[in-house]
Amino acid sequence: MNRFHSWREKAGAWLSPIVHLSNNWISLTGVVLVTSSAVFWLFSLPISMRRELDNPYLGILLFLVVPAVFVGGLLIIPLGIYWEFRRERRRGQNPTGLPLNWRNVDLRRLVIFVGATTVVNVLIAGQASYKAVTYMDSVTFCGQACHTVMAPEFTAYQNSPHSRVSCVACHIGPGASWFVRSKLSGVGQVFAVAFNTYSRPIPTPVHNLRPARETCETCHWPQKFGADRLRIVDKFAEDEANSRTKTVLLMRIGGGRKGGPGIHGAHLGEGVVIRYAHADEARQTIPWVEVTRPGAGVRTYLAADAKPEQIKNLPIRTMDCMDCHNRPTHTFELPERAVDHAMAGGDISPSLPFVKRQAVTLLKAAYPSREDAARRIPAALHAFYRENYPAVYQQQRLEIERAARALTAIYLRNVFPEMRVTWGTYPNHIGHTDFPGCFRCHDEAHTSADGKTITQDCNTCHQVLAMDEPAPKILTDLGLVTNGAAK
Ligand code: HEC
Ligand code: HEC
Ligand code: HEC
Ligand code: HEC
Ligand code: HEC
């Protein structure tokens, strides 16, 4: 070691192997990529240590692009070295000149240098790839990175009971195999967005969704339900007084282990398997249903117009949560319902004359863009009261402004022209009033060989305690309505 007289010579000798080995344009490019991305990474550490990045584009840069450049650089350095090695050998030179022997100082130095830099690089790459993976699983990335594409689902999600459940909890779920599958299909999705080949609206049902019974049941499981649940639906008529009525249903949620009773037990109780064939992609037309019950064997129901030779070729699906709860979180609304909901909650005051009718009309009108709708809806509501009810316009100005804001918000969370998502684009299978839903099967027209039908009896799934009544007696009895007026 006393061959070296100054630190400069020492450093030179230590660096010489890499200088020699990387003295070609490929490796040099690699070195530049690795060092510049490492420096960038170092300076971005304070930002990336924050738990969740708010800006999706910064996230893509920090957690996807920078690590990719870093690893790419690492890969091409040895490529260049190999290329250089081949070139020198073709020229008849001995590229390294090293006898392969641990006593050779140059070789020792090379091994130590490569070892030390590899440790540093692995640390950087490890931290970066861990960050990349957690970032790709974040709600920010799923919901906002491809801004236009996911806007409808992300918006509806924020307005749902699952707004604190991450996208991947339902779409991927725990475990390595679905993780890998989702990352592979994710690569395809990134290309579809990059080359603008994705479909608008994004088609539903989603085929590569992990089976619901594996994801939903990590938080909800059918045996857990059991109690009945009271459901009160408020409606407002389109008259001047916005007359309010209530429907009261006692939902037979059901659960149980023995395959019934109740909604969940009947379809998903222990040992119960329901399979069905669907004639269309959206699973709206169901000509064949088969139910297997423990102890009761198998029964098959055929729709009235079903032709056995056609059914043979149809796809068959086993019923799970998604066949009823297909919109547990991307709950798009219909105009009437959204307005009823806002009126019941007080965001749109029922004291404004004809507000239900005006609100629904304005929501259903066609607007060239979301920006245009956000301008024209409030203006039109103001104009309606200014022209037709000047006194109301004077006295209830604040209520009109509030209603206009609520109305605009409803429009903006349901209509996305760029993705061709509008009222009713995505059917909801829960219920039977807005979409076929339960009545796809429960229509008294699916008949078994022994003459049984899938029931449409109004008190099977729910007890109808009141239907569109101004002041249902049942609510008075329960103390939920006073003085004959619905609260
Ligand atoms: C509570 C579970 C759950 C969560 C959380 C969730 N999704 Fe979904 N998602 C679903 C279900 C269920 C479907 C519909 C599947 C079907 O109809 O086949 C769906 C469908 C979709 C679709 C297809 C288009 C459509 O509306 O049917 C997209 C896109 C989507 N989700 C994106 C997201 C994004 C982005 C997030 C996070 C912001 C997210 N999802 C969070 C359950 C969930
Ligand atoms: C990570 C946990 C988690 C997962 C996974 C999950 N949920 Fe939920 N779910 C919740 C929470 C939390 C609530 C809100 C409960 C509340 O508001 O009382 C909820 C609420 C619901 C509700 C509404 C209940 C109500 O009172 O309106 C339904 C229906 C539901 N989930 C169905 C599903 C379905 C279907 C899936 C699978 C696609 C699913 N959930 C996946 C945690 C989860
Ligand atoms: C046959 C249709 C159907 C299937 C299948 C189904 N559900 Fe439900 N579920 C319903 C209906 C209907 C309700 C009541 C909705 C209401 O009250 O508005 C409900 C209510 C719920 C609730 C709220 C329970 C409560 O007590 O308030 C949760 C959570 C839920 N379901 C989760 C699931 C999960 C998870 C699965 C799959 C294991 C599943 N459901 C399968 C129809 C179904
Ligand atoms: C894919 C077809 C299909 C759909 C969709 C469907 N069901 Fe069913 N349902 C069945 C079959 C099959 C049975 C069992 C009939 C039998 O007993 O042979 C059943 C039974 C039931 C029962 C028990 C009936 C009884 O006599 O005790 C209830 C309650 C029920 N369903 C509620 C619902 C609700 C609520 C929905 C919508 C959210 C729904 N079902 C959607 C196929 C379906
Ligand atoms: C197969 C099960 C099933 C049968 C049979 C059934 N319903 Fe329903 N019904 C539901 C479900 C599920 C909902 C939705 C609850 C919700 O909104 O979450 C519902 C909702 C309703 C509503 C509330 C509608 C609204 O505007 O929100 C009314 C009213 C109603 N049903 C009446 C009836 C009548 C009348 C019959 C008999 C012809 C009937 N139902 C048969 C399952 C059923």
Side-chain angles (χ1 to χ4, degrees):
M1 282 291 144
N2 50 12
R3 278 199 285 144
F4 304 110
H5 301 300
S6 70
W7 66 269
R8 197 183 296 215
E9 268 179 71
K10 253 187 217 175
W14 276 95
L15 283 175
S16 66
I18 192 106
V19 171
H20 172 76
L21 288 169
S22 65
N23 195 9
N24 65 80
W25 62 270
I26 300 182
S27 297
L28 283 178
T29 314
V31 170
V32 169
L33 291 181
V34 169
T35 43
S36 49
S37 56
V39 168
F40 191 88
W41 172 84
L42 207 66
F43 280 97
S44 69
L45 264 184
I47 311 176
S48 63
M49 287 299 168
R50 293 225 322 258
R51 264 170 42 102
E52 175 117 330
L53 275 190
D54 310 324
N55 183 334
Y57 302 104
L58 190 61
I60 291 186
L61 184 69
L62 284 186
F63 303 138
L64 302 178
V65 176
V66 172
V69 171
F70 182 83
V71 172
L74 276 188
L75 290 179
I76 66 177
I77 294 174
L79 199 75
I81 291 171
Y82 179 67
W83 181 72
E84 179 74 19
F85 180 89
R86 294 265 313 248
R87 206 172 59 118
E88 291 191 2
R89 196 155 62 185
R90 255 202 321 274
R91 290 209 207 113
Q93 297 166 342
N94 180 352
T96 53
L98 301 176
L100 289 179
N101 173 341
W102 191 240
R103 295 169 66 97
N104 179 311
V105 182
D106 276 350
L107 179 69
R108 272 212 315 264
R109 229 179 265 140
L110 173 67
V111 168
I112 293 171
F113 184 86
V114 170
T117 44
T118 303
V119 169
V120 174
N121 285 346
V122 163
L123 280 179
I124 294 183
Q127 198 264 2
S129 58
Y130 172 75
K131 278 278 176 187
V133 165
T134 39
Y135 174 65
M136 282 197 284
D137 282 357
S138 74
V139 173
T140 313
F141 179 74
C142 301
Q144 288 175 289
C146 318
H147 198 74
T148 327
V149 188
M150 288 296 143
E153 279 73 27
F154 181 63
T155 313
Y157 158 90
Q158 290 173 303
N159 185 36
S160 87
H162 291 107
S163 57
R164 295 291 177 271
V165 176
S166 71
C167 317
V168 295
C170 291
H171 281 273
I172 301 171
S177 84
W178 278 91
F179 177 81
V180 172
R181 271 208 241 179
S182 76
K183 291 295 172 254
L184 288 180
S185 86
V187 171
Q189 287 159 16
V190 169
F191 275 106
V193 172
F195 297 112
N196 204 7
T197 57
Y198 56 89
S199 34
R200 305 175 182 79
I202 297 181
T204 192
V206 179
H207 288 290
N208 53 10
L209 202 71
R210 186 176 190 169
R213 307 219 45 182
E214 293 174 21
T215 48
C216 313
E217 289 188 21
T218 55
C219 298
H220 315 280
W221 52 100
Q223 291 84 355
K224 196 181 78 171
F225 319 125
D228 291 348
R229 172 168 128 162
L230 199 63
R231 191 173 170 87
I232 306 175
V233 184
D234 287 277
K235 286 211 177 99
F236 295 84
E238 300 203 345
D239 55 0
E240 185 173 26
N242 307 301
S243 305
R244 183 176 194 166
T245 55
K246 283 172 184 273
T247 294
V248 184
L249 303 170
L250 190 65
M251 299 302 304
R252 291 285 159 81
I253 305 280
R257 300 167 188 290
K258 296 276 173 323
I263 299 166
H264 291 107
H267 303 88
L268 300 176
E270 240 167 63
V272 180
V273 179
I274 296 181
R275 302 195 310 147
Y276 67 85
H278 50 97
D280 57 342
E281 252 308 289
R283 301 176 187 152
Q284 294 294 304
T285 310
I286 297 179
W288 177 90
V289 184
E290 175 203 83
V291 52
T292 310
R293 281 180 192 289
V298 180
R299 180 183 280 139
T300 308
Y301 293 94
L302 278 179
D305 55 354
K307 294 183 191 63
E309 66 278 9
Q310 281 171 350
I311 294 167
K312 273 208 306 271
N313 305 319
L314 295 179
I316 290 184
R317 186 179 147 79
T318 303
M319 209 171 169
D320 67 20
C321 321
M322 227 65 89
D323 292 294
C324 302
H325 297 283
N326 67 327
R327 301 271 128 207
T329 196
H330 311 299
T331 11
F332 298 105
E333 300 153 297
L334 291 178
E336 292 84 359
R337 272 191 196 278
V339 171
D340 284 338
H341 192 73
M343 288 177 74
D347 288 331
I348 298 179
S349 169
S351 67
L352 297 170
F354 279 122
V355 72
K356 167 79 186 275
R357 192 191 69 188
Q358 281 313 109
V360 170
T361 311
L362 288 176
L363 287 177
K364 283 184 174 171
Y367 304 95
S369 72
R370 284 161 60 81
E371 293 72 24
D372 198 64
R375 256 194 325 275
R376 279 163 59 178
I377 290 175
L381 196 69
H382 278 275
F384 174 78
Y385 289 106
R386 202 170 47 233
E387 284 155 27
N388 300 296
Y389 293 92
V392 173
Y393 190 63
Q394 288 301 319
Q395 289 152 19
Q396 301 206 52
R397 193 64 162 270
L398 278 179
E399 285 301 348
I400 293 171
E401 256 158 40
R402 228 148 72 92
R405 269 201 306 278
L407 215 53
T408 311
I410 293 173
Y411 186 90
L412 292 181
R413 66 176 184 249
N414 286 290
V415 181
F416 300 83
E418 280 179 71
M419 288 304 294
R420 302 207 189 108
V421 171
T422 184
W423 308 109
T425 299
Y426 291 111
N428 188 339
H429 298 329
I430 284 268
H432 49 80
T433 40
D434 299 336
F435 298 100
C438 311
F439 287 5
R440 290 173 298 159
C441 298
H442 288 267
D443 61 353
E444 299 289 357
H446 285 72
T447 317
S448 68
D450 56 346
K452 263 203 74 168
T453 54
I454 306 182
T455 181
Q456 200 175 72
D457 181 279
C458 303
N459 287 329
T460 309
C461 309
H462 45 56
Q463 201 87 21
V464 185
L465 300 175
M467 205 158 137
D468 294 330
E469 294 176 27
K473 180 174 176 310
I474 177 78
L475 294 184
T476 325
D477 292 347
L478 290 170
L480 296 171
V481 170
T482 48
N483 305 332
K487 252 203 268 193

